Amino acid sequence: MDALSDLSVLVTGGSRGLGLLLARQCVERRCDVTVAARDQEELDHAVGLLRRRTRDNTVTGRVCDVTDREAVRTLVERTAENQRGLDVVLANAGTIQVGPAQEAGTEAFRSAMDTMFFGALHTSMEALPQLRESPAGGRLGLIGSVGGLLPVPHLLPYSCAKSAVAALAEGLRAEVAEDGVSVTGVHPGLMRTGSHDQVELAGDKGKEYAWFATLAGLPGLSMDALRAAERIVHAVEQRRTRVVLTPAAQLGAKAYGVAPTLVTRTNELVARLMPGPQPSGRKGRSRWQSTVSALNDRAARRLNQT
């Protein structure tokens, strides 16, 4: 029997992409699941998709902006009340900003920190009292990124916010372990979640979209999102400290840990190959780019991204 079977679960950012698949994994383990997101229509569609996979356990959708701590407090309290406690929380809400840092501007950094870091922080702080009371021993999963383990050119707001999430996950784990609560830091590499249709673009938007959408859907470099969700939920079940997904992400994280100067100089070369700040008039991917990333386009349709 799965360790999460029949438990109470909350997934933030659960209406599409990876969050939707994480919720699906929990539904298939017969958990009572609440998914939270900002958009009511998107949330209703996600709940409908999840309910098709369940008979007896409940699936609930709740609108919540994780940047608002009071809203998160209400979300956690109502979820715990309706599901007779709270055993597992997966903090997944996030955004992706693609483009040169100067073109994105400080507001992009602030937005990334508000949603991804403070969103994870609010969720953690409000959920921990409930998780401490879990008879099964609470589990908290914070979804970071390999971009938080090494900086990525033209993804700096995202990398900065995810770096803070990584520190939060491992620091909290050390502090709450004595309470019987485990914290798992999750750092995926590129996944085929269809997230390229939701990115915020700066600079030469057509070219920025083209490179990100192509790499995010490239077979061999990117990972099937369902397989990623399976591994993430299994890691939370096993109370692992950290999980890094995709061989490329594992290699990059290890290289940066061992030789940060070399990786930084390599990133200098990568940055020179990136689009410049001025619009070129390009609208999106070329035909060959669309062909090699077709799996990601299918994922976008399947995972409520469009």
Side-chain angles (χ1 to χ4, degrees):
M1 181 178 291
D2 292 314
L4 300 190
S5 294
D6 303 312
L7 298 185
S8 167
V9 179
L10 169 64
V11 183
T12 66
S15 63
R16 52 183 164 90
L18 178 63
L20 179 61
L21 288 175
L22 294 174
R24 173 176 150 183
Q25 287 292 308
C26 295
V27 165
E28 291 176 352
R29 287 165 167 77
R30 304 188 304 279
C31 299
D32 291 328
V33 177
T34 291
V35 291
R38 288 182 292 188
D39 185 271
Q40 182 71 65
E41 183 177 358
E42 187 177 88
L43 194 57
D44 290 342
H45 187 219
V47 169
L49 292 173
L50 292 169
R51 285 178 176 167
R52 294 176 195 171
R53 295 183 167 272
T54 182
R55 293 183 180 180
D56 300 322
N57 53 307
T58 62
V59 179
T60 305
R62 294 192 183 279
V63 173
C64 180
D65 182 347
V66 296
T67 67
D68 181 345
R69 183 167 182 176
E70 289 301 319
V72 175
R73 177 176 295 136
T74 299
L75 167 69
V76 170
E77 289 175 349
R78 290 183 179 175
T79 300
E81 180 181 350
N82 292 350
Q83 295 177 184
R84 300 177 302 282
L86 192 55
D87 304 302
V88 182
V89 174
L90 302 175
N92 174 70
T95 58
I96 303 176
Q97 298 90 347
V98 179
Q102 284 193 310
E103 299 304 311
T106 56
E107 282 304 315
F109 286 84
R110 183 172 290 110
S111 174
M113 292 296 292
D114 282 347
T115 300
M116 288 180 280
F117 173 64
F118 283 103
L121 179 64
H122 295 160
T123 303
S124 300
M125 294 297 104
E126 298 304 327
L128 279 172
Q130 297 289 342
L131 295 176
R132 289 188 179 100
E133 298 298 319
S134 168
R139 293 171 171 86
L140 174 62
L142 302 185
I143 310 302
S145 168
V146 68
L149 303 181
L150 72 157
V152 180
H154 287 224
L155 284 168
L156 284 183
Y158 180 82
S159 284
C160 289
K162 291 298 190 180
S163 178
V165 171
L168 177 66
E170 296 184 14
L172 273 182
R173 183 182 179 96
E175 292 192 8
V176 304
E178 64 179 358
D179 300 324
V181 177
S182 61
V183 183
T184 301
V186 180
H187 306 289
L190 292 168
M191 296 176 293
R192 295 189 291 277
T193 62
S195 61
H196 61 291
D197 282 341
Q198 300 288 341
V199 297
E200 300 171 12
L201 300 164
D204 189 341
K205 295 182 178 181
K207 285 188 175 182
E208 296 289 353
Y209 174 82
W211 80 257
F212 181 81
T214 302
L215 291 184
L218 193 64
L221 184 62
S222 63
M223 184 178 189
D224 175 74
L226 177 57
R227 183 163 167 261
E230 290 170 347
R231 289 186 58 184
I232 291 167
V233 172
H234 181 69
V236 173
E237 281 182 323
Q238 299 300 309
R239 301 184 183 275
R240 290 179 57 185
T241 301
R242 174 191 282 196
V243 57
V244 181
L245 299 179
T246 79
Q250 292 168 359
L251 178 61
K254 289 178 180 177
Y256 189 66
V258 172
T261 299
L262 177 61
V263 173
T264 299
R265 288 177 177 172
T266 301
N267 274 344
E268 291 175 12
L269 299 177
V270 172
R272 292 176 186 177
L273 299 175
M274 292 290 203
Q278 299 304 317
S280 63
R282 180 171 177 172
K283 299 299 183 182
R285 288 170 290 177
S286 64
R287 181 174 297 179
W288 75 265
Q289 288 173 323
S290 296
T291 299
V292 300
S293 58
L295 290 173
N296 211 16
D297 292 330
R298 285 180 223 161
R301 294 189 291 270
R302 189 174 67 253
L303 300 179
N304 206 22
Q305 297 275 25
T306 57

